Structures are given as structure tokens and as C-alpha cells.
Amino acid sequence: MKNKFAERTHLVKPSETREILKITERPEIISFAGGLPAPELFPVEALKVACNAVLNEEGEASLQYSTTEGYIPLREAICQRMKVIGINSTIENVLITSGSQQAIDLTGRLFINEGDTIICESPTYLAAINVFKSYNAKFVEVAMDDEGMVMEELEKKLLEHPNTKFIYTIPDFQNPTGRTLKLERRKRMIELANQYDVLIVEDNPYGAIRFAGEALPPVKHFDTESRVIYISTFSKIFTPGLRLGWICPGERFIDKYVSFKQTADLHTDSFAQRITAKYLELYNIEEHINKIKAVYKERCTAMLSCINEFFPKNINYSMPEGGLFIWIELPESVDSGKLFARCLENNVAFVPGVPFFPNGTKKSTLRLNYSNMPKEKIIEGIKRMGEVLYREIEKETTLIGYSKKMN
Amino acid sequence: MKNKFAERTHLVKPSETREILKITERPEIISFAGGLPAPELFPVEALKVACNAVLNEEGEASLQYSTTEGYIPLREAICQRMKVIGINSTIENVLITSGSQQAIDLTGRLFINEGDTIICESPTYLAAINVFKSYNAKFVEVAMDDEGMVMEELEKKLLEHPNTKFIYTIPDFQNPTGRTLKLERRKRMIELANQYDVLIVEDNPYGAIRFAGEALPPVKHFDTESRVIYISTFSKIFTPGLRLGWICPGERFIDKYVSFKQTADLHTDSFAQRITAKYLELYNIEEHINKIKAVYKERCTAMLSCINEFFPKNINYSMPEGGLFIWIELPESVDSGKLFARCLENNVAFVPGVPFFPNGTKKSTLRLNYSNMPKEKIIEGIKRMGEVLYREIEKETTLIGYSKKMN
């Protein structure tokens, strides 16, 4: 048989990170690798009530084919939630997607021609990299500091790359860095998008999980020309397993999103949509989110204080005010891939930083997740990592000294 | 703002059929338009039991992120079901998709380069047409008779179109015609695929809903070179709202399917997968399918006998042994689009045949669905259609007679 695959299939490689995550599922391992919410916080009992109510009251409709756009009461609840954070939208401009991943994928399909440039934070969400690459996009990375993407750098890149289609940004508690784009930069990003005639794709799965500092309006709040395509999800505030995300692209783009969503999977699970809408009707999700915030705050604080105590002093780490992740920058001589192997021998795991950089390799970086492990395991895991780190950094430094002498 | 859409967006038009289906949702209308299963047969009570069991026994896992491939017990149950009909597969070669629509979409992504030829039955499933067109495929239609795609025609097209990537076929109770590919042709299709080195995409959502005649093995059963990509779904035998389909492409292709599924939506709803697996564990789905068959048989029989009684004699209609649809061929002078408008005035609806032909227009055809209306409404609806048909056919015939005289 001759090769049958389409050319685009070369653009998608099996995810190494997926393999890493499989390894780290072994029960003896303390894993900071995945990006999983804390399952013990899932509202299981409330969902039981919601399931029974939906099946009693609207059983047939909840199991039948439904509209591509999504269940109207759920879209209404989403509009209400968005209004509170400063986004005014009607339900006509909200499309329910099968997780925010599908919203990202549809965005790639709708906007990326071969060779288009996507500007993103450096580093950025690896599954977005994989999707946009599958549409043959080129990535231009913009440096970040502790206050998010650096706007001077962004403008430079916009000037250099006139074929930029959109800026992809995760403004709140970014994946993988945990950093947040500060207020002035949000406004400036809009100005630059207007000036250089590019779109902004605002991926905002974590914004509601702020456990410190002051809430900032989403980038879309400052949108003056309907350039911001806003993507969010119930995965971090409710449950990821139900695969419920949404996209609010503005009226210029919504129809095409609906058409392509229809070709992709007709519509998102009707039952999942209705039990989520029922949950939102019967319960106060803000109370539930507050519980999540309290737990993640405790875990994040524990992790930060252990990093401070047990890691060598010549590393940098981010200090998130929300979300799920901490970003670590090691001395440049340390390869976090090798470190990963050493840590695994000590039954502790993380994700090496390389796959979060679309173009290159910052081998000396890594991502830690704190949402999915209890405090005791965080303390023990960071201790173990610290021991390996001291050993590896010392070794690397010695080797470098040696190699310098050799030259 | 300059136009931002990717070029491929021109390939997807808003679906006219969707607009038709919206109109036909009005409660006063007897609709044979949609392709909906009978909702009164959905196992609502059993699903309540399954939901509660899953949330009690595995609540956290059922709401968490899960693997792209799908829930193992569900894939095991699928392998068992496929074995019964003559497909031997391990779970490693089964991928759970968000409805069979996603399996079709992923197939387009994996295999279609711009300009590739897809050979299909004429007419064929309109959402598959839309998906494959979105990847810039060219369609070559093969004529059908009452025993499915005509193999001599297929061979002719394979000879004429050496850049054919795959044959897309719905062998059982085809959508829209309700016709079934007879046994010898299934074997012949495999021979031709081997000879001309093309793949076969077997879309088989209806095969389990056979209420008359003898069951035939799927095309994949005869596959000698792993060329058949088999797609099926729980939508017609269980519920469509949960969006659970699967693909069994064989080991040569499965890894790429998994990689692209991951970029598309990470994985299919974990909860939907687990409640379906739980249902399959606790209940006998064959008994449930037998109920569906009995009801659809009654409705199909009622519709056929009413067509025979109330429609003009110069129309052709298919006689399905299963599935959801009957296909009508009117005298060539009758435009079923115009007929649709007339029927709507009489509060009865169907889908005009044009969108089921990827290249052209057979305006004198239409599709009737019988699964979604009770017997009394079928009788009343077909009566109403018959009245309009008599009127329109008479008018058209008169006009043609007149126009002939004029020439």
C-alpha cells in the first residue's frame, strides 16, 4: 500500500508530554507533571442531584441531538458569568465547544493559512502549539517577565512579521508560567492589535481561580474593534471530564465557528450541557469556586515555601496569584530532561520546559503543578526534587568548570 | 479590519438543511425531515441508575481528564459488539470519538490532500460531504441501484480517477436512501480497493437496526489488507445526545487518529463514556435494540404502505430493511425544493434530495425519516404529502406538455 496520509499529518507528532504523563501515573510517584484539577473537590453529590433532575424533567431532550450552538440556558449562564468580569455578550455570540481545546482547534481552522504567523508568549500552552502547528502556522515568541508578555517586544515582533494573524495569549495565571498580564499591558495589547490589524485569541481557563491579589478584567474587556476571540471552560471551575468549553468570538466570526463546529462533531454532549446548566441553577458555583481557591492557595503557598526552603538559591521561580502552575528557571547549564530522569528515580515528577517553547529549547526550565497533590505530598515531593537539584547543579557546575579548563 | 479568515473557510457553507430543520421544529408540523431517533425509546430510567452508580463508585475519575483513546471498559464492550458482527479488533485499535461525525472529520484530516478524489455513493450522507469538502476533496459519485453501489460503475470511476484516496460507503440502510449493499458487492468492493490501492471508509451507524431480511457482515469483515476504516456510533442504538462514536481503523492508522483527536478536543466526555459502559454492564442492550427495531419496523411499514396508497404511481421509493430513511424519486420534472414549500403550507416536511449529491442536483428526489414520528402522524403526514404531490405532478406535467407544444 502506498502512503495514504495527507501532508498535514507530518505536522503533528505524538506528544512526548503524553508519554511523560503516562509514566507519572504510577501510584508511587508524587507527580507535579499533569495539569489536573483536584478531583476530591469535584461536586459529585451535587452532580447526582443534577443528573436525576435532568433525567426526571427533561430526559428525552437531554439525550437527543441538539443544536450546534449549544443549550440556551447554559449559554445564558455563561453570558452572566462573563458580564461579571467585564465582557458583554449575547447568547448569539457564544458557542459551546467540546472543551476549550476544541475552541482552540476551531480557531486554527478558521484563521490559519499555511505560513501565517502566530505571536505567543514564550513559553506557552503546549496543546495550543500542537494545534496551531497542525495548521502549518509559524510561531513568533515574545519574551515575558513577571508581569506577562513584554509589550515593547510584542510591538517589535508585530513590525517584523506583517503576516501575523493573531496574538495568542493566556493573560491570567498562564500555562505554563503562572504569570499574569498586568492591567496596562492588557490595554496596550489592544492598542497594538488595532494598530497592526491583528486578532487576539484570549485563552482564559484559569481567570476565575484567583486566590491572591486583585482581579483584572480580561483583555476582551478593553476590546474596541471586536478583535478579541475569548475562550474559556468549565474544566477548572467545575469538572474537566464533561468537556465543556465555550468561545465568544464576536458577531463577525460566530457564524463560521458554528459552521465548522458542525462539521467537527455536530454539537457538544447535550446531557453534559444540561446537567451543568442544572447545577448552575440549583447551586451557587461561586461557593464551589471559593473552595477550589482556598485549597489551591494552600497548595501553592506550601509549594512556594518548600521551593524557597529546599531548592538551591540560584534558581528562579514564578509566584502565581491563581491557577495551577509554578514555573522554574534553573541555571542554564542544567537540562531539565535529564533532571526529570533523576527525579523519576526518586519517585517525583514534573514536566520539562522544552515543549512549551514552539521554536526552540530552553532546556533549563520546568513546570510544576500544585493543584493535584495534597500538601503533605507537595512538601515531600519538593524535598526530593531539591535533593536531586542540589546534586545535579553541583555536578553541572563542576563539569562546566572542567570543560572551561579543557578549552 | 482586513479579512482574517483562512482560505479553507470558503469551503464550508452554512448548511441549508440546518435551516430547513429549524423550520420543521414547529410543533404543528409533521416532520419527516430530521434524522432523529425516537426519543421515547431512550433508556432514561436505566441511565438514571447508571449515572448514580458511576457517581457513587467512580465519581472523581468519571469527572476528571482522561486518556485520548477512551475508557477501556467501553472500548472492550465495543470490541465485543464488533466481534459478533465479524470484525476482530483489540482495544488498541479502537478510538472513542465525539460522535461518529468526529470520526468522519478526523478521517478527512488524516487522509485528504487538496484535490484528492473521494468516491461515494450517489447520493450520500450530507454531513460527510460537508466535512470532506472542507478539506478540499473532489467527489466522484457512483450510481446505486436497490442493492447499493454498482460495482461496474465503481471500477470505471477507479480507473478514471487514479488519485482516489478512499471510497466512502454506508453499506447498511444508507443515509439517505435506506438501501443496503448486497453481499457479493461487499466482497467485490474489497477486491477493487486492493487492486486500485485505495482505502475504504465504512460508515456504519445503522447496521444494528435491521428489522427485516438477513444480516450481512460489514465490509470490514472481508478486509484482507487493513484498508477498511470502520466507523460506528451509539447514537442510533442508545442515545445521540451523549455524542459517543468510535473508529476502528486498523493498526496502520490508529496512532495518527489518536494524535489528531488529541489536538481536536483532548478526549471524549469521560462521564458519558463511563455511564454508557455502566449501562452496557448492567443492562442487556440487545433487548433495548430489539425494542427500537420493533418500533422502527412498524413505522417504516406504515410509511411504505401509505406511500403505496397515497402517492402517485409514477414515483419510485426504496424499501429499507432497517435504519431510519426512505428515499423517493419523483418524475424528473418535479423540483422537490418547490414541493417542500408546498408541503410546509400543509404542515408536513421532508428533506429535499439536492444536498445529498456532492456535485450536482437531482432536484426530483427527497428523503423521508420514519423513526421520529408515531404511526398516526406518519399516516396523516404521508396523506398530506400525497395530496400536494398529486397537485404538483399534475401541474408540472401540464406545464411540460405546454412547454413542449411551445417549442
Side-chain angles (χ1 to χ4, degrees):
Chain A
M1 193 187 296
K2 273 194 295 194
N3 173 43
K4 298 298 176 197
F5 285 123
E7 282 160 31
R8 72 177 71 81
T9 58
H10 300 298
L11 301 168
V12 174
K13 305 267 177 280
S15 161
E16 285 172 37
T17 311
R18 240 179 106 226
E19 298 310 308
I20 286 180
L21 293 178
K22 275 187 187 166
I23 298 168
T24 62
E25 272 171 12
R26 300 202 309 251
E28 68 274 20
I29 290 178
I30 298 178
S31 177
F32 307 132
L36 307 184
E40 65 274 25
L41 301 178
F42 293 154
V44 175
E45 289 306 312
L47 262 167
K48 228 185 279 177
V49 174
C51 284
N52 286 307
V54 165
L55 288 170
N56 283 332
E57 296 159 18
E58 42 186 313
E60 292 181 9
S62 73
L63 302 172
Q64 187 58 286
Y65 285 114
S66 58
T67 60
T68 303
E69 291 85 345
Y71 183 51
I72 289 174
L74 185 63
R75 284 149 71 208
E76 285 169 345
I78 287 168
C79 285
Q80 275 182 335
R81 284 196 63 75
M82 291 198 299
K83 198 175 176 185
V84 172
I85 57 167
I87 298 174
N88 284 311
S89 173
T90 60
I91 62 163
E92 286 74 23
N93 292 317
V94 172
L95 169 68
I96 305 291
T97 54
S98 302
S100 63
Q101 183 70 24
Q102 186 181 47
I104 297 171
D105 181 42
L106 293 174
T107 300
R109 264 205 241 200
L110 246 62
F111 296 109
I112 302 176
N113 283 318
E114 188 177 332
D116 275 355
T117 294
I118 307 303
I119 293 185
C120 66
E121 286 129 7
S122 177
T124 189
Y125 174 49
L126 64 92
I129 298 175
N130 290 341
V131 173
F132 296 148
K133 278 197 175 168
S134 81
Y135 294 103
N136 226 333
K138 306 224 173 312
F139 282 88
V140 170
E141 300 174 42
V142 177
M144 302 177 86
D145 60 23
D146 281 339
E147 294 173 329
M149 200 188 267
V150 177
M151 288 300 114
E152 292 71 27
E153 287 290 313
L154 172 61
E155 180 156 25
K156 218 175 108 195
K157 303 294 184 186
L158 283 166
L159 260 169
E160 284 169 18
H161 300 276
N163 69 332
T164 298
K165 190 53 79 66
F166 56 78
I167 303 163
Y168 173 75
T169 182
I170 308 164
D172 291 336
F173 325 123
Q174 198 236 17
N175 183 356
T177 65
R179 290 166 181 151
T180 295
L181 189 67
K182 76 170 175 182
L183 187 66
E184 294 70 31
R185 293 189 186 179
R186 292 174 190 231
K187 295 177 188 167
R188 181 66 184 143
M189 189 183 275
I190 295 286
E191 284 172 10
L192 289 171
N194 290 346
Q195 186 181 337
Y196 291 91
D197 189 19
V198 300
L199 304 176
I200 296 173
V201 176
E202 176 175 23
D203 185 7
N204 204 322
Y206 314 111
I209 314 287
R210 175 178 281 280
F211 47 69
E214 207 175 316
L216 297 177
V219 176
K220 189 167 177 72
H221 173 71
F222 302 103
D223 191 8
T224 51
E225 297 182 359
S226 286
R227 290 181 180 277
V228 180
I229 293 159
Y230 181 84
I231 294 171
S232 193
T233 174
F234 284 100
S235 291
K236 307 304 183 292
I237 57 174
F238 189 52
T239 84
L242 294 176
R243 312 302 303 123
L244 287 179
W246 71 88
I247 190 154
C248 177
E251 49 194 51
R252 196 182 288 151
F253 304 128
I254 185 75
D255 290 347
K256 284 277 183 203
Y257 270 104
V258 173
S259 292
F260 272 82
K261 163 77 179 167
Q262 196 182 21
T263 71
D265 62 3
L266 299 185
H267 64 81
T268 295
D269 183 346
S270 322
F271 188 59
Q273 292 187 64
R274 291 198 184 228
I275 61 179
T276 303
K278 183 58 77 178
Y279 171 87
L280 295 171
E281 179 196 323
L282 297 178
Y283 298 88
N284 183 346
I285 194 172
E286 296 309 324
E287 284 176 16
H288 175 64
I289 295 173
N290 285 338
K291 279 186 214 161
I292 297 173
K293 288 184 195 175
V295 171
Y296 290 8
K297 182 178 189 171
E298 188 199 26
R299 292 178 182 183
C300 180
T301 310
M303 189 173 269
L304 287 171
S305 103
C306 289
I307 289 171
N308 194 45
E309 190 175 342
F310 302 119
F311 278 16
K313 296 305 159 215
N314 56 346
I315 67 136
N316 292 319
Y317 54 92
S318 61
M319 300 203 42
E321 298 186 322
L324 282 70
F325 303 110
I326 294 171
W327 183 246
I328 306 279
E329 292 169 349
L330 306 165
E332 282 197 9
S333 59
V334 182
D335 178 341
S336 66
K338 288 183 193 161
L339 189 72
F340 175 77
R342 295 292 89 73
C343 281
L344 212 56
E345 291 164 6
N346 287 270
N347 287 333
V348 59
F350 57 83
V351 181
V354 170
F356 298 103
F357 296 94
N359 298 313
T361 51
K362 278 207 182 169
K363 290 192 176 173
S364 58
T365 56
L366 62 92
R367 188 191 76 178
L368 295 174
N369 166 269
Y370 50 78
S371 59
N372 194 238
M373 284 283 142
K375 195 176 161 187
E376 318 79 67
K377 292 211 171 177
I378 288 175
I379 297 170
E380 175 58 27
I382 296 295
K383 258 191 207 168
R384 289 187 200 169
M385 273 190 75
E387 287 161 21
V388 179
L389 266 170
Y390 268 107
R391 228 163 45 218
E392 291 297 308
I393 288 180
E394 198 175 329
K395 202 163 69 186
E396 289 294 330
T397 319
T398 318
L399 278 171
I400 287 168
Y402 181 70
S403 120
K404 271 189 188 152
K405 275 182 214 150
M406 291 289 285
N407 287 339
Chain B
M1 192 187 297
K2 274 193 294 192
N3 173 43
K4 298 298 176 197
F5 286 123
E7 282 160 31
R8 73 178 70 80
T9 58
H10 299 298
L11 302 169
V12 174
K13 305 267 174 281
S15 160
E16 285 172 38
T17 311
R18 238 179 108 228
E19 297 311 308
I20 286 179
L21 294 178
K22 275 187 187 168
I23 297 168
T24 62
E25 273 171 12
R26 299 201 311 251
E28 68 274 20
I29 289 177
I30 297 176
S31 177
F32 308 130
L36 306 184
E40 66 273 24
L41 301 178
F42 293 155
V44 175
E45 290 306 313
L47 262 166
K48 230 185 280 178
V49 174
C51 284
N52 285 306
V54 166
L55 288 170
N56 284 331
E57 296 159 19
E58 41 185 315
E60 293 182 8
S62 72
L63 302 171
Q64 185 60 287
Y65 284 115
S66 58
T67 59
T68 302
E69 290 86 344
Y71 182 53
I72 289 174
L74 185 63
R75 284 150 71 208
E76 285 169 344
I78 286 168
C79 284
Q80 275 182 335
R81 283 195 65 74
M82 290 197 301
K83 197 173 176 187
V84 172
I85 58 169
I87 297 175
N88 283 311
S89 173
T90 60
I91 63 163
E92 285 75 22
N93 291 318
V94 172
L95 169 68
I96 305 290
T97 54
S98 302
S100 62
Q101 184 69 24
Q102 187 182 46
I104 297 171
D105 181 41
L106 293 175
T107 300
R109 266 205 240 199
L110 245 62
F111 296 109
I112 302 176
N113 283 318
E114 189 177 331
D116 275 356
T117 294
I118 308 304
I119 292 185
C120 66
E121 285 130 5
S122 177
T124 190
Y125 175 48
L126 66 92
I129 298 174
N130 290 340
V131 172
F132 296 148
K133 279 197 174 168
S134 80
Y135 295 102
N136 226 334
K138 305 225 175 311
F139 282 88
V140 169
E141 301 175 41
V142 177
M144 301 177 85
D145 59 24
D146 282 339
E147 294 172 330
M149 199 188 266
V150 177
M151 288 299 114
E152 292 70 27
E153 287 290 312
L154 172 60
E155 180 156 26
K156 217 175 110 194
K157 303 293 182 185
L158 283 166
L159 261 169
E160 283 169 18
H161 300 276
N163 68 333
T164 298
K165 190 55 76 73
F166 57 77
I167 302 163
Y168 172 75
T169 182
I170 308 165
D172 291 335
F173 325 124
Q174 199 235 17
N175 183 356
T177 64
R179 289 167 182 151
T180 295
L181 189 67
K182 76 169 175 181
L183 187 66
E184 293 69 31
R185 294 189 186 181
R186 294 176 189 229
K187 296 178 189 167
R188 181 68 184 143
M189 189 183 275
I190 294 287
E191 285 171 8
L192 289 171
N194 290 346
Q195 185 180 338
Y196 292 89
D197 189 19
V198 300
L199 305 176
I200 295 172
V201 176
E202 175 173 23
D203 185 7
N204 204 324
Y206 313 110
I209 314 287
R210 174 179 281 278
F211 47 69
E214 205 176 319
L216 298 177
V219 177
K220 191 169 177 69
H221 173 72
F222 302 103
D223 192 8
T224 51
E225 298 181 359
S226 285
R227 292 182 177 276
V228 180
I229 293 159
Y230 180 83
I231 294 171
S232 192
T233 174
F234 285 100
S235 291
K236 308 304 183 292
I237 58 174
F238 189 53
T239 84
L242 294 176
R243 312 303 302 124
L244 287 180
W246 72 88
I247 190 154
C248 178
E251 50 194 49
R252 195 181 290 152
F253 303 128
I254 185 75
D255 289 346
K256 284 276 182 204
Y257 271 105
V258 173
S259 292
F260 272 82
K261 163 78 178 167
Q262 197 183 21
T263 72
D265 62 3
L266 299 185
H267 64 81
T268 295
D269 183 346
S270 323
F271 187 60
Q273 291 187 64
R274 289 197 185 229
I275 60 179
T276 302
K278 183 58 76 178
Y279 171 87
L280 295 172
E281 177 197 326
L282 297 178
Y283 297 89
N284 183 347
I285 195 173
E286 296 310 324
E287 283 176 15
H288 176 64
I289 295 172
N290 285 338
K291 278 185 214 161
I292 297 174
K293 288 183 195 176
V295 172
Y296 289 9
K297 181 178 191 173
E298 188 199 27
R299 290 178 182 182
C300 180
T301 310
M303 190 174 269
L304 287 171
S305 103
C306 288
I307 288 170
N308 194 45
E309 190 175 344
F310 302 119
F311 278 16
K313 296 304 158 215
N314 56 346
I315 66 138
N316 292 320
Y317 55 91
S318 61
M319 301 204 40
E321 298 185 325
L324 282 70
F325 304 109
I326 293 170
W327 183 246
I328 306 281
E329 292 170 348
L330 306 165
E332 282 196 9
S333 59
V334 182
D335 178 341
S336 65
K338 288 183 192 162
L339 189 73
F340 175 79
R342 295 293 89 73
C343 281
L344 212 56
E345 291 164 7
N346 288 270
N347 287 333
V348 59
F350 57 83
V351 181
V354 171
F356 299 102
F357 297 94
N359 299 314
T361 50
K362 277 207 181 169
K363 290 191 176 174
S364 59
T365 57
L366 63 91
R367 187 190 76 179
L368 295 174
N369 166 268
Y370 49 77
S371 60
N372 195 239
M373 283 285 141
K375 192 175 163 185
E376 318 78 69
K377 291 210 171 177
I378 288 175
I379 297 169
E380 176 58 28
I382 296 295
K383 257 190 205 168
R384 288 187 201 168
M385 272 190 75
E387 286 161 21
V388 179
L389 265 171
Y390 268 107
R391 230 163 43 218
E392 291 298 308
I393 288 179
E394 198 174 329
K395 204 163 68 187
E396 289 295 328
T397 319
T398 318
L399 277 171
I400 287 168
Y402 182 71
S403 123
K404 271 190 187 152
K405 274 183 213 150
M406 289 290 287
N407 287 339

